[in-house]
């Protein structure tokens, strides 16, 4: 051969055997069991599920393959199992523990007869026997671009990714050159999914044209929002997609060095990514002379040690340099002067994971998804009081109402909706009246919330908005790096005022101070942590002023959540004689027997943990909660005096 | 050289000068705590040196900006003063404002800023909120640190690093309880080295760092004075 093979030709050589092994798995003669084995699956017990399958298969002497895959995003259904039995469409089962695994083996895998409809979620392909997943609103309304392969492929097997057109975008990018990549991403108008929504293409262009050499690209996987786990899932379920995006970014910027900043609390993500880097290096997809070209990329992992503020890009750089993670004043922006003074591009995991799709399918395709100003999809980790919590990927621009009610099945137990908190600990709380808000950077910001990196907490009527604001301010206050005055001391004062409110202490002056401090902190803080920390306070003040006033003026918590402002009592009408379920559960022995052998609570001893509410059998449902505490009715309770016989 | 306008006054300074430095050099005082001349990258953490620049949204810290030809700067707009006063109130609320007893009395930067902003040293609007830490930290062989006096300006951390000391004076803890801490101060000979240097004690704008001996002497003097007063 007189000419070097092009990157695409090189890739085709790698892909041939990969495709063969993938198809062999798809058309396997024996059943293949895919078990979701990312962190979420493991927490739900997928390890026991795997062992259960192994043991049951061994007992029955059935040949089957067990493959571990990543996460599909259906937290409510974990541990999740997909069984591909020859002759059947791939079937997805929910909540499969070791016992259910044995049942599946015995009744389905052994004879191929009963596919256990009781555990079945649906079939992955259209067929005549089973309901398919597309019949569910969750699947119908989701649009999977970033998470397309998550949960379907083995994250530790590079062949699976290669077989599904993996690294094709990198080969294309290598053939077209860095400038073309920058232009394409710019044309796609891809906005940074880390929270700020800054156009990635423009960031890349600035760094590409920066004079200093060499350049660095960093993938920001320091996901610290409470209840958010999109980045972790992507890194654990499809690491090569993230690596491919990172390599394309490096090519576009002209960087020779790439760093994945992953928090140390994600050990599985670190391990999966590390393993993926080795595998890709071996196949010359990363490392020196990628796919036979002159482009080389040194790629490494840096583990962050659990500081929320290190998700801020300048603090992240400080952390990589070995300093305490404290944000720096911008400008200079990292794209001009970042890590060790070199031009540094920092992109979120989700941003980078979107890049391969844009490069291989083109910017025009990308712009058909989502809105004009924010094309593409958004991944949210929806948690809280929804029927189907989990990761959802929807096109930008759909309304909150659609996401909560259609995609996630609405509020659990049919309770009324109260608020949704969007954008992590410094996002805002939006009420029912704002549910029409479209999900994109600009609309959410206008409504007082923010896109953040995609955390979403849905709350029902049991949530006290003052307490919610206090909770989030407590988080940001504790995670403040302590550098600038407004964030370090200002948020502490917000917290002190809110703590007072939840105890029924406070005045209108405090309310005024809360507002003016919040506004000052937003204007005066150094970095986005401080600039956004008062958002939960300001939005709850705006949308739920009555709750604040009830706390201050009436010492009443309308949601009956704040302990100091509530009390529990037992309704003697409803309480059953002789039942003592509540007595056993009370940690402080506050529940005593009344003269008519029913139960009552000693308010002096009660710590208001609420355990008795859950312990009381639903047929009686006798424990009542009131606010303010003085509302307990006088039921003429007398303690039981021991009778003569017992003496 | 670059000419800029500050509060209607035209001043000419060398290129690449920091705006705050340019103002201070020309007799225009802007409150500041964390800035030191010659800093490569000022921390911009005290948030007192805010100014407004025509054509830019919102107040910006003057310590971190380089002068640009034709810049029109206002150091005393309502917005700037409001934020400066709020930052000042926040800074003084950890301390009871017992200036009379303090070793930094009359040379304290906070006193100077209070005078400039016409603010009392004990705020009524915000509650007194001491840090959740001991009043005095004495784990260094010869230096005492008072967290509630400290404004976390970081000057000491900067000068310590400038001295090329082989141990590190650094920030520790998070959030409201952030302090400065002497890592490795228990090492042998460290006490002597610090006694020779004292750069951190000298640079502290509020008297939060002091030599143990000096402080002991000062407390004795105060006690004697109090006794004399009855």
């Amino acid at each position: 051969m007189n000419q070097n093979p092009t990157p695409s030709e090189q890739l085709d050589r790698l892909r041939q055997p990969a495709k063969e092994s993938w198809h062999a798995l798809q058309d396997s003669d024996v059943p293949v069991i895919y078990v979701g084995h990312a962190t979420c699956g493991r927490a739900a017990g997928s390890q026991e599920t795997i062992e259960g399958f192994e043991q049951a298969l061994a007992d029955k002497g059935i040949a089957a393959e067990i493959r571990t895959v990543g996460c599909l995003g259906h937290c409510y259904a974990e541990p999740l199992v997909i069984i591909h039995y020859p002759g059947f469409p791939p079937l997805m089962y929910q909540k499969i523990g070791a016992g259910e695994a044995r049942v599946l083996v015995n009744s389905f895998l052994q004879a191929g007869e009963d596919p256990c409809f009781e555990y079945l979620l649906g079939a992955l392909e259209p067929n005549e026997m089973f309901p398919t997943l597309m019949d569910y609103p969750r699947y119908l309304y989701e649009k999977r671009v970033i998470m397309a392969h998550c949960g379907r492929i083995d994250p530790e097997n590079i062949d699976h990714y290669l077989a599904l057109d993996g690294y094709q975008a990198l080969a294309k990018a290598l053939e077209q050159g860095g400038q073309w990549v920058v232009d394409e991403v710019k044309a796609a108008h891809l906005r940074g999914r880390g929270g700020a929504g800054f156009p990635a293409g423009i960031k890349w262009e600035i760094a590409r044209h920066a004079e200093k050499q060499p350049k660095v690209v960093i993938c920001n996987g320091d996901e610290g929002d409470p209840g958010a786990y999109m980045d972790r899932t992507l890194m654990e379920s499809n690491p090569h997609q993230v690596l491919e995006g990172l390599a394309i970014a490096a090519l576009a910027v002209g960087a020779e060095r790439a760093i994945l900043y992953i928090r140390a609390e994600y050990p599985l993500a670190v391990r999966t990514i590390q393993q993926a880097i080795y595998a890709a290096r071996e196949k010359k997809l990363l490392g020196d002379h990628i796919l036979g070209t002159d482009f080389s990329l040194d790629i490494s992992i840096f583990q962050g040690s659990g500081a929320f503020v290190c998700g801020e890009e300048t603090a992240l750089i400080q952390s990589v340099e070995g300093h305490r993670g404290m944000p720096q004043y911008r400008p200079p922006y990292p794209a001009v002067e970042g890590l060790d003074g070199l031009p540094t591009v920092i992109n979120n995991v989700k941003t980078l994971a979107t890049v391969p799709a844009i490069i291989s399918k083109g910017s025009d395709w990308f712009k058909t998804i989502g809105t004009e100003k924010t094309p593409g999809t958004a991944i949210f980790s929806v948690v809280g009081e929804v029927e189907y919590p989990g990761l959802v990927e929807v096109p930008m621009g759909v309304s909150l109402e659609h996401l909560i009610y259609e995609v996630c099945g609405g509020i659990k137990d049919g309770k009324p909706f109260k608020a949704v908190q969007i954008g992590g600990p410094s996002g805002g709380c939006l009420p029912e009246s704002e549910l029409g808000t479209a999900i994109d950077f600009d609309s959410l910001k206008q409504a007082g919330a923010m896109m953040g990196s995609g955390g979403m907490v849905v709350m029902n009527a049991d949530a006290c908005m003052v307490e919610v604001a206090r909770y989030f301010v407590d988080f940001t206050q504790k995670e403040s790096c302590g550098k600038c005055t407004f964030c370090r001391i200002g948020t502490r004062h917000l917290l002190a005022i809110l703590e007072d409110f939840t105890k029924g202490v406070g005045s209108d002056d405090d309310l005024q101070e809360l507002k003016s401090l919040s506004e000052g902190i937003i204007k005066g803080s150094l970095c986005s942590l401080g600039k956004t920390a008062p958002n939960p306070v300001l939005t709850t003040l705006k949308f739920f002023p009555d709750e604040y006033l009830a706390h201050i003026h009436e010492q009443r918590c309308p949601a009956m959540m704040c302990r100091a402002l509530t009390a529990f009592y037992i309704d003697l009408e409803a309480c059953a004689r002789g039942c003592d379920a509540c007595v056993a559960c009370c940690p402080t022995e506050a529940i005593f027997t009344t003269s008519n052998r029913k139960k009552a609570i000693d308010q002096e001893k009660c710590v208001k943990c609420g355990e008795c509410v859950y312990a009381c059998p639903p047929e009686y449902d006798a424990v009542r909660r009131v606010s303010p505490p003085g509302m307990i009715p006088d039921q003429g309770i007398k303690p039981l005096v021991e009778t003569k016989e017992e003496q | 050289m670059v000419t800029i306008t500050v509060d209607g006054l035209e001043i000419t300074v060398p290129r690449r000068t920091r705006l705050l430095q340019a103002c201070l050099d020309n007799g225009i005082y802007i409150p500041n705590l964390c800035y030191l001349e010659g800093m490569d990258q000022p921390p911009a953490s005290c948030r007192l040196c805010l100014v407004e620049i025509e054509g830019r949204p919102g107040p910006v810290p003057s310590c971190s900006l380089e002068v640009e030809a034709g810049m029109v700067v206002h150091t005393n707009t309502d917005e700037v003063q409001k934020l400066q006063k709020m930052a000042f109130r926040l800074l003084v609320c950890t301390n009871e404002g017992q200036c009379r007893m303090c070793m930094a009395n009359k040379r304290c930067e906070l006193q100077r800023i209070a005078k400039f902003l016409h603010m009392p040293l004990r705020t009524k609007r915000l509650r007194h909120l001491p840090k959740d830490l001991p009043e005095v930290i004495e784990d260094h062989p010869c230096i005492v640190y008072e967290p509630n006096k400290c404004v976390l300006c970081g000057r000491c951390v900067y000068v310590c690093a400038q001295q090329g000391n082989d141990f590190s004076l650094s920030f520790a803890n998070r959030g409201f309880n952030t302090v400065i801490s002497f890592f490795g101060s228990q090492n042998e000979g460290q006490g002597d080295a610090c006694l020779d240097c004292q750069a951190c004690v000298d640079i502290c704008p509020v008297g939060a760092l002091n030599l143990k001996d000096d402080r002991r002497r000062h407390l004795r003097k105060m006690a004697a004075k109090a006794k004399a007063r009855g």
Side-chain angles (χ1 to χ4, degrees), chain A residues 74-95:
Chain A
H74 296 255
C75 300
Y76 60 92
E78 297 282 3
L80 204 73
V81 169
I82 298 171
I83 296 181
H84 194 180
Y85 192 91
F88 285 86
L91 298 172
M92 194 197 278
Y93 293 94
Q94 58 174 336
K95 295 182 182 161

Side-chain angles (χ1 to χ4, degrees), chain A residues 305-308 318 324 326 328-329 331-332 477-486 488-490 492-493 496-497 500 510 513 516-517 519-521 523-526 531, chain B residues 41-47 50 59-61 64-65 79 82-84 86-87 89-91 93-94 125-127 129 131 150-152 170-178:
Chain A
S305 349
F308 176 68
Q318 291 282 310
R324 177 182 161 97
M326 283 170 132
Q328 304 293 307
Y329 184 77
Q477 145 63 24
K478 281 188 180 137
E479 289 296 338
S480 161
C481 75
K483 182 172 178 174
C484 78
T485 307
F486 284 98
R488 180 181 75 241
I489 314 173
R492 182 68 187 83
H493 278 274
I497 296 172
D500 276 359
D510 289 334
E513 190 61 51
S516 74
L517 264 177
E519 281 156 14
I521 293 168
K523 282 184 192 142
S525 288
L526 174 70
K531 280 185 194 296
Chain B
Q41 197 181 17
S45 66
C46 70
R47 318 307 282 175
L50 299 169
V60 283
S64 296
L65 287 182
E79 186 70 29
K82 207 174 136 195
L83 285 172
Q84 280 174 336
M86 187 181 281
R89 271 199 300 275
L90 291 169
L91 285 171
C93 74
T94 58
R125 226 172 116 175
L126 294 174
R127 62 191 76 192
L129 204 63
K131 292 171 191 171
C150 178
V151 289
L152 267 305
S170 173
F171 296 101
N173 298 356
R174 280 184 208 178
F176 187 59
N177 285 336
T178 307

